[in-house]
């Protein structure tokens, strides 16, 4: 079908298409920079309206992005787009949507399962589940809105698992051994001090700036998150609305951070405080755990360790939820198994009440 040139140099298409009921409908779309772009848009549009989706997976992904991106938080979209572009598109880009089979998806799943990085490490089970869910979401979008007949990713079944392994925590004594073991590196020492004593997510830690620390009021403002995807740095909104919070700092941590910020020339600065990579911190976890002779836990488990510490100090789930930035108290109650002595204390106090004491 032809494309036409406007007086201002842009291109447009004007054509009739037959909808699913068999009715002929006229369609016009203008504003294309080139004739090729105009014809490609027309072909994709007709494919979608025909209910066959003969367009390539790559072309449909562009449609998916246009539909979904405006509805998501920026940080959520950045992560989704990275998964699509790096883990999914390279395998399905040129195949027509209507010709991608369950067998094709299973082959892709096996590639993801067998993947190893330069250190020989595989994708985590939770990450495998995440990338499979993203592929399935693309096909679901095609089924729901663009008349694709079936979702081959759903038929293939999931890979990985939804939840991470059982959380592990360090006791205060274990953390103190670890911090002593890494004290020679003041960068990692201060980073882990914030993670353990404040319960921050790693992205929240790496987004902190000098201006986020109020030494007069001894508080820390958490209102952003850092990610590095595709060799690019992204500062985004935090994970949830409740993640925006201001927390109080203990005196000793204020003193450590004051010394660190002056040394790094980040005092009252808009520059990031902690500029090390995630890999560096993972390596320091390995080094410190080994030197201290304690079990190796994940960096995120330091957040769980902070919750465990607060529970042992007698703080309520409501108090803890506010400090951790949990979206609801239900998330905090996920740690209920860490309250082993509370039931005994409750029973003892009920005995006292019954006796009128």
């Amino acid at each position: 079908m032809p494309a036409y040139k406007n007086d201002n140099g842009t291109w447009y298409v004007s054509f009739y298409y037959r909808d699913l009921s068999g009715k002929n409908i006229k369609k016009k779309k203008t504003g294309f920079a080139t004739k090729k772009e105009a014809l490609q848009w027309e072909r994709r549009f007709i494919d979608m309206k025909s209910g066959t989706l003969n367009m390539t997976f790559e072309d449909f992904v562009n449609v998916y992005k246009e539909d979904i991106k405006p509805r998501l938080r920026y940080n959520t979209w950045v992560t989704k787009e990275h998964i699509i572009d790096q883990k999914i598109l390279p395998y399905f880009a040129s195949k027509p949507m209507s010709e991608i089979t369950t067998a094709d998806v299973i082959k892709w799943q096996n590639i993801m399962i067998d993947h190893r990085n330069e250190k020989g490490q595989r994708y985590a089970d939770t990450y495998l589940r995440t990338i499979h869910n993203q592929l399935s979401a693309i096909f679901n979008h095609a089924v729901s809105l663009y008349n694709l007949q079936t979702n081959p990713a759903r038929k293939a079944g999931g890979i990985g698992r939804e939840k991470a392994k059982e959380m592990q925590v360090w006791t205060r004594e274990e953390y103190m051994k670890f911090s002593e073991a890494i004290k020679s590196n003041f960068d990692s020492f201060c980073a882990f001090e914030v993670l353990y004593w404040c319960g921050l997510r790693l992205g929240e830690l790496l987004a902190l700036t000098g201006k986020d620390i109020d030494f007069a009021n001894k508080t820390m403002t958490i209102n952003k998150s850092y990610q590095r995807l595709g060799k690019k740095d992204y500062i985004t909104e935090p994970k949830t609305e409740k993640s925006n919070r201001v927390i109080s700092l203990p005196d000793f941590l204020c003193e450590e951070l004051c010394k660190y910020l002056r040394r790094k020339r980040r005092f009252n600065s808009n520059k990031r405080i902690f500029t090390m990579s995630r890999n560096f911190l993972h390596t320091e976890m390995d080094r410190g755990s080994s030197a201290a002779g304690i079990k190796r836990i994940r960096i995120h488990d330091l957040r769980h360790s902070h919750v465990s510490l607060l529970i042992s100090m007698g703080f309520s789930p409501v108090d803890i939820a506010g400090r951790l930035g949990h979206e609801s108290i239900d998330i905090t109650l996920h740690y209920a198994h860490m309250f082993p002595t509370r039931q005994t204390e409750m029973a003892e106090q009920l005995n006292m009440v019954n006796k009128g004491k």
Side-chain angles (χ1 to χ4, degrees):
M1 293 182 183
Y4 309 94
K5 199 168 187 177
N6 290 307
D7 293 338
N8 63 2
T10 61
W11 290 81
Y12 72 94
V13 287
S14 179
F15 57 93
Y16 283 92
Y17 70 93
R18 192 178 298 276
D19 67 13
L20 292 176
S21 68
K23 182 179 179 181
N24 268 339
I25 300 175
K26 187 174 183 179
K27 178 72 177 178
K28 182 178 180 179
K29 176 74 172 177
T30 189
F32 297 101
T34 65
K35 180 179 181 179
K36 181 180 179 181
E37 288 179 8
L39 292 174
Q40 285 178 337
W41 184 91
E42 179 184 6
R43 186 172 63 253
R44 289 202 305 265
F45 182 88
I46 292 173
D47 282 343
M48 283 190 293
K49 293 301 181 181
S50 70
T52 60
L53 275 187
N54 289 323
M55 68 170 65
T56 65
F57 183 85
E58 184 172 22
D59 283 341
F60 183 76
V61 162
N62 291 330
V63 174
Y64 175 81
K65 289 180 177 181
E66 290 176 5
D67 290 347
I68 297 299
K69 184 176 180 180
R71 300 170 177 268
L72 299 178
R73 288 175 175 269
Y74 179 69
N75 53 323
T76 302
W77 175 251
V78 166
T79 302
K80 286 173 74 72
E81 187 172 43
H82 177 75
I83 290 172
I84 293 169
D85 292 348
Q86 301 298 318
K87 313 302 178 187
I88 298 175
L89 266 180
Y91 301 91
F92 297 105
S94 61
K95 289 187 70 70
M97 282 289 289
S98 58
E99 295 181 13
I100 297 175
T101 66
T102 303
D104 293 326
V105 174
I106 289 174
K107 288 177 182 178
W108 169 80
Q109 288 177 336
N110 289 337
I111 291 172
M112 295 296 101
I113 292 169
D114 293 339
H115 172 83
R116 298 293 184 275
N117 64 17
E118 62 277 4
K119 295 182 179 180
Q121 298 169 329
R122 62 187 294 274
Y123 290 140
D125 285 337
T126 49
Y127 189 65
L128 287 173
R129 176 59 63 90
T130 297
I131 58 179
H132 175 269
N133 286 350
Q134 181 54 67
L135 177 63
S136 189
I138 293 171
F139 283 115
N140 276 339
H141 194 69
V143 170
S144 299
L145 299 181
Y146 296 102
N147 305 308
L148 185 68
Q149 296 302 306
T150 59
N151 177 349
R154 176 174 292 178
K155 286 186 175 181
I159 54 175
R161 60 184 171 194
E162 198 68 40
K163 295 183 179 180
K165 294 178 181 178
E166 185 71 22
M167 71 175 72
Q168 297 187 75
V169 299
W170 276 341
T171 63
R172 177 187 171 279
E173 291 71 26
E174 287 174 315
Y175 174 72
M176 297 305 292
K177 289 180 181 179
F178 171 81
S179 64
E180 185 64 31
I182 62 167
K183 209 167 189 177
S184 59
N185 189 317
F186 200 44
D187 288 315
S188 56
F189 172 78
C190 285
F192 282 111
E193 284 285 273
V194 173
L195 288 170
Y196 180 75
W197 294 108
C198 298
L200 268 61
R201 300 177 179 94
L202 183 52
E204 294 170 344
L205 171 86
L206 295 177
L208 286 175
T209 68
K211 285 193 172 181
D212 293 328
I213 314 298
D214 182 345
F215 290 103
N217 294 304
K218 300 178 183 177
T219 61
M220 174 184 290
T221 298
I222 297 110
N223 57 14
K224 51 192 170 294
S225 184
Y226 167 88
Q227 296 183 75
R228 184 168 178 82
L229 297 170
K231 298 183 179 179
K232 292 183 180 180
D233 294 333
Y234 295 91
I235 300 294
T236 67
E237 295 176 349
K239 185 176 181 181
T240 66
E241 285 295 330
K242 290 291 181 65
S243 296
N244 289 285
R245 60 200 190 276
V246 178
I247 64 173
S248 297
L249 303 175
D251 290 344
F252 71 87
L253 188 56
C254 281
E255 293 172 7
E256 292 169 352
L257 287 174
C258 184
K259 180 180 178 182
Y260 186 69
L261 264 61
R262 291 193 184 282
R263 178 182 295 188
K264 302 292 286 188
R265 298 182 180 178
R266 294 291 189 269
F267 205 91
N268 200 32
S269 167
N270 285 317
K271 294 182 178 179
R272 288 170 51 223
I273 299 172
F274 300 104
T275 55
M276 68 279 289
S277 69
R278 291 170 181 258
N279 283 339
F280 169 79
L281 291 173
H282 285 297
T283 300
E284 286 294 270
M285 281 290 281
D286 292 336
R287 179 177 74 88
S289 301
S290 177
I294 57 177
K295 63 181 180 289
R296 166 64 154 92
I297 63 175
R298 302 169 303 164
I299 289 179
H300 191 71
D301 285 328
L302 290 172
R303 183 168 162 87
H304 301 320
S305 299
H306 183 65
V307 174
S308 176
L309 177 65
L310 295 178
I311 289 172
S312 70
M313 295 169 68
F315 291 101
S316 73
V318 174
D319 297 328
I320 296 170
R323 186 170 179 85
L324 273 288
H326 288 160
E327 191 65 16
S328 74
I329 196 171
D330 291 341
I331 299 173
T332 310
L333 293 176
H334 177 64
Y335 300 90
H337 64 281
M338 294 181 180
F339 289 83
T341 63
R342 290 304 189 201
Q343 291 294 330
T344 301
E345 292 175 13
M346 289 177 189
E348 290 175 353
Q349 292 197 33
L350 288 170
N351 280 330
M352 295 176 69
V353 170
N354 184 53
K355 293 176 181 177
K357 295 182 179 180

